[in-house]
Amino acid sequence: MPAPHTAPKTVTLIPGDGIGPECIESARRIIDATGVGITWEVHHAGERIFKQGIPSGVPTDTIESIRRTRCVFKGPLGTPVGYGEKSANVTLRKLFETFANIRPVRELPGVRTPYSGRGIDLVVVRENVEDLYAGIEHMQTPGVAQCLKLISRKGCEKIVRLAFELARSEGRKSVACATKSNIMKLTEGMLKRTFEEIAQEYPDIQSWHIIVDNCAHQLVKKPEQFDVIVTTNMNGDILSDLTSALIGGLGFAPSANLGNEVAIFEAVHGSAPKYAGKNVINPTAVIGSGIMMLRHLGEFEAAARIENALLVTLEEGKVKTGDVVGYDSGKACTTTAFTDEIIKNLGRSPQTVTPRTYKPLRIPRISPDPVVVRPTSRRVVGADIFLESGLLPDKLGPTLEALAEGTPLKLKMISNRGTQVYPDKGTLIDCVDHYRCRFVLRDESGDLKDADLMALLGRVAAQHRWVHVEKLPEFDGQPGFTKAQGED
Ligand code: NAP
């Protein structure tokens, strides 16, 4: 169970790796200069922890601090080659179920891009803990790898509700849902279906679905048409780096990882090791993340003061970091000088841009029950048995048909990487040694018993190397599996 919250203004501060400590120090000085009175608990994660021999990169004292404070302000963490298998960043996000990654981008004064003048102002709301980032990977054969794309109804509901709540809290007009549901009907389709259902509860916000590849195209062509984009983890990872580039690059892109218990604020960028310790990098992304954190803590006035001072600094352009004017141009300021200028500008308001007004964000809380979908009827209509085999389909198929003889199951088809290869339809498939063999019940109204499946698996195992099995479920009369390409 989560530990009780100690004080709303206590924050776990993780300086991070590479340029992390410089960015964090800049943002911390600015936040402290507002007089907001945050107590910082400094703890570590990432490279130095990997090097201490802690494979997760996140030590117990850091976890305990986060359980107390429920709020983290962090610099980027590097994943040095040879230390630790998993990213400490992803570990932190997942350990505390920060299910939403909020990545806003807005055209900034004084930062020229090919899009200047078009008024880009959008937020990518990326699901943060599911999808391919569940990180469940297996070698199926020595030459075929698999990564499971896990998407839950509960996860979709949380991220979709958060996107609509965010739109309301920021006075935004529309939410677009970007998925690849035309291809992945069950996984990406789950987000689309959930979105369309929940959108009806938010009639004040315009809602629309867009296929993710067209979303990338539209973002480059006409980004100003977007307000909020909600999407799955992998799509969001890629789209949000794209949107960062639209407003000047990673130096300007802040983010918040939000969950029901814990929030983690960090830049989108990484530790950029080549600039570490040089006092040259742009701290804006981390400062922006600090502004998001202050709003999360209810410190709207301090957040607005910093945002205004940052906008004034960019607008006046008296100091510019190397990513904007070129590191060797002779015109670039230091990170410290940029920070000092923002502190000097606290209390001033920008002339050319009007900052948004924000209301508190209501983070949706879904039932703690792990089961959120209860069908009224269910049965199993067959099973896919996956095999490693060097046989070609016309040799493999008859052996499996013979093995299923006299059992309640019959071979329906065999596919290779998702496309039917047996029975042969005269197609030209370059097979690999990984086959999905679909067996279905001879009695079409039956419910497959585990004992019958085990018996068939035993027969198959006597002749072939099976690698895994998936049941073919039906919930409320609807198939819980998709057909192979070319399967009738
Ligand atoms: P990166 O650190 O984001 O740096 C890529 C490039 O972006 C830099 O070389 C620089 O571009 C520019 N850049 C990034 N931050 C900047 C800033 N504050 N000011 C100005 N320019 C900035 O990406 P990476 O080199 O791929 O990753 C380095 C390490 O960071 C890896 O170990 C990676 O795992 C980790 N990482 C951590 C996080 C996180 O903690 N959330 C996120 C991403 C990556 P130019 O070269 O054009 O000047």
Side-chain angles (χ1 to χ4, degrees):
M1 283 300 290
H5 201 308
T6 46
K9 306 283 169 48
T10 305
V11 171
T12 303
L13 187 132
I14 302 175
D17 301 316
I19 59 171
E22 297 158 64
C23 305
I24 286 287
E25 184 53 21
S26 161
R28 174 175 153 158
R29 279 181 55 214
I30 296 167
I31 292 170
D32 287 345
T34 65
V36 79
I38 286 183
T39 305
W40 306 100
E41 282 192 21
V42 180
H43 289 271
H44 297 282
E47 281 182 19
R48 74 157 78 180
I49 305 300
F50 286 127
K51 288 177 184 167
Q52 285 169 15
I54 299 174
S56 67
V58 185
T60 315
D61 63 294
T62 303
I63 291 175
E64 277 169 5
S65 170
I66 299 170
R67 276 168 60 90
R68 274 194 310 277
T69 65
R70 306 292 172 90
C71 183
V72 184
F73 190 43
K74 67 174 277 291
L77 306 179
T79 311
V81 178
Y83 296 94
E85 199 177 305
K86 299 261 181 188
S87 147
N89 269 312
V90 177
T91 301
L92 269 177
R93 290 174 193 165
K94 285 167 90 86
L95 281 180
F96 295 101
E97 193 73 30
T98 56
F99 64 86
N101 191 303
I102 314 294
R103 296 186 160 184
V105 291
R106 187 176 183 189
E107 178 177 337
L108 294 163
V111 184
R112 294 243 15 115
T113 75
Y115 294 92
S116 291
R118 289 171 62 168
I120 294 172
D121 181 4
L122 62 90
V123 189
V124 174
V125 177
R126 165 188 170 193
E127 199 290 321
N128 213 23
V129 291
E130 299 193 341
D131 197 359
L132 297 163
Y133 292 63
I136 308 173
E137 294 192 291
H138 295 98
M139 292 305 293
Q140 294 282 291
T141 79
V144 179
Q146 173 189 273
C147 178
L148 285 189
K149 181 174 170 81
L150 281 182
I151 307 270
S152 73
R153 162 72 202 203
K154 191 175 191 178
C156 290
E157 190 167 338
K158 281 157 77 170
I159 198 70
V160 166
R161 287 191 185 281
L162 189 99
F164 280 107
E165 290 296 336
L166 181 107
R168 275 190 180 161
S169 77
E170 299 192 359
R172 293 180 182 270
K173 303 275 178 285
S174 81
V175 180
C177 174
T179 76
K180 195 70 186 169
S181 55
N182 51 329
I183 302 297
M184 287 165 271
K185 296 189 190 317
L186 297 185
T187 50
E188 293 275 319
M190 174 103 68
L191 182 67
K192 179 173 184 280
R193 286 189 297 278
T194 309
F195 175 78
E196 285 165 351
E197 194 184 307
I198 288 172
Q200 294 175 25
E201 295 176 34
Y202 295 86
D204 50 319
I205 312 279
Q206 190 201 339
S207 62
W208 48 299
H209 176 262
I210 183 166
I211 304 234
V212 67
D213 35 339
N214 185 32
C215 185
H217 165 240
Q218 293 294 331
L219 275 168
V220 173
K221 207 172 155 194
K222 201 176 166 208
E224 58 275 21
Q225 70 186 289
F226 292 98
D227 212 350
V228 176
I229 301 171
V230 62
T231 190
T232 48
N233 203 339
M234 175 88 161
N235 294 338
D237 196 1
I238 298 166
L239 289 183
S240 61
D241 262 35
L242 187 160
T243 54
S244 306
L246 300 176
I247 53 116
L250 284 168
F252 293 99
S255 86
N257 302 280
L258 301 181
N260 287 118
E261 305 296 339
V262 167
I264 302 173
F265 298 86
E266 61 179 341
V268 171
H269 66 69
S271 58
K274 69 180 177 186
Y275 296 121
K278 295 191 175 157
N279 196 21
V280 295
I281 50 82
N282 183 352
T284 302
V286 175
I287 296 167
S289 310
I291 294 169
M292 293 174 86
M293 179 183 75
L294 289 173
R295 285 194 200 109
H296 172 79
L297 294 173
E299 297 289 350
F300 287 91
E301 199 189 320
R305 286 186 72 208
I306 298 177
E307 185 173 30
N308 282 340
L310 172 64
L311 290 169
V312 168
T313 305
L314 293 171
E315 197 172 54
E316 292 184 342
K318 289 185 197 157
V319 288
K320 292 190 175 187
T321 45
D323 54 330
V324 177
V325 286
Y327 292 96
D328 299 326
S329 64
K331 295 179 189 159
C333 70
T334 61
T335 308
T336 311
F338 189 77
T339 307
D340 291 342
E341 187 71 12
I342 295 173
I343 293 172
K344 214 168 78 191
N345 286 329
L346 283 170
R348 297 181 60 198
S349 296
Q351 300 301 305
T352 57
V353 275
T354 314
R356 281 189 169 278
T357 48
Y358 294 85
K359 291 194 205 119
L361 171 63
R362 204 178 64 89
I363 299 178
R365 192 170 278 278
I366 315 281
S367 155
D369 186 343
V371 187
V372 292
V373 183
R374 289 185 169 80
T376 49
S377 72
R378 63 192 298 163
R379 67 186 185 115
V380 176
V381 300
D384 283 344
I385 299 181
F386 292 75
L387 302 180
E388 176 185 343
S389 175
L391 294 177
L392 285 170
D394 61 339
K395 295 279 179 307
L396 179 62
T399 73
L400 295 170
E401 279 164 344
L403 288 168
E405 256 170 39
T407 76
L409 291 152
K410 63 178 182 194
L411 181 70
K412 179 166 186 248
M413 67 97 205
I414 302 174
S415 71
N416 197 281
R417 289 158 304 135
T419 305
Q420 179 170 325
V421 289
Y422 184 86
D424 180 24
K425 289 189 150 184
T427 49
L428 304 167
I429 317 284
D430 183 12
C431 287
V432 299
D433 60 352
H434 180 257
Y435 289 100
R436 182 252 307 258
C437 310
R438 175 159 288 177
F439 293 90
V440 294
L441 283 170
R442 293 176 197 277
D443 170 9
E444 287 182 8
S445 61
D447 185 4
L448 177 61
K449 294 190 187 68
D450 282 352
D452 290 333
L453 175 56
M454 302 297 189
L456 176 69
L457 193 59
R459 288 184 181 207
V460 171
Q463 285 187 26
H464 300 282
R465 190 190 293 272
W466 66 277
V467 291
H468 86 252
V469 178
E470 286 285 345
K471 289 180 178 176
L472 302 179
E474 196 183 86
F475 301 118
D476 294 330
Q478 295 300 316
F481 54 94
T482 56
K483 286 189 168 163
Q485 296 297 139
E487 180 184 355
D488 292 318

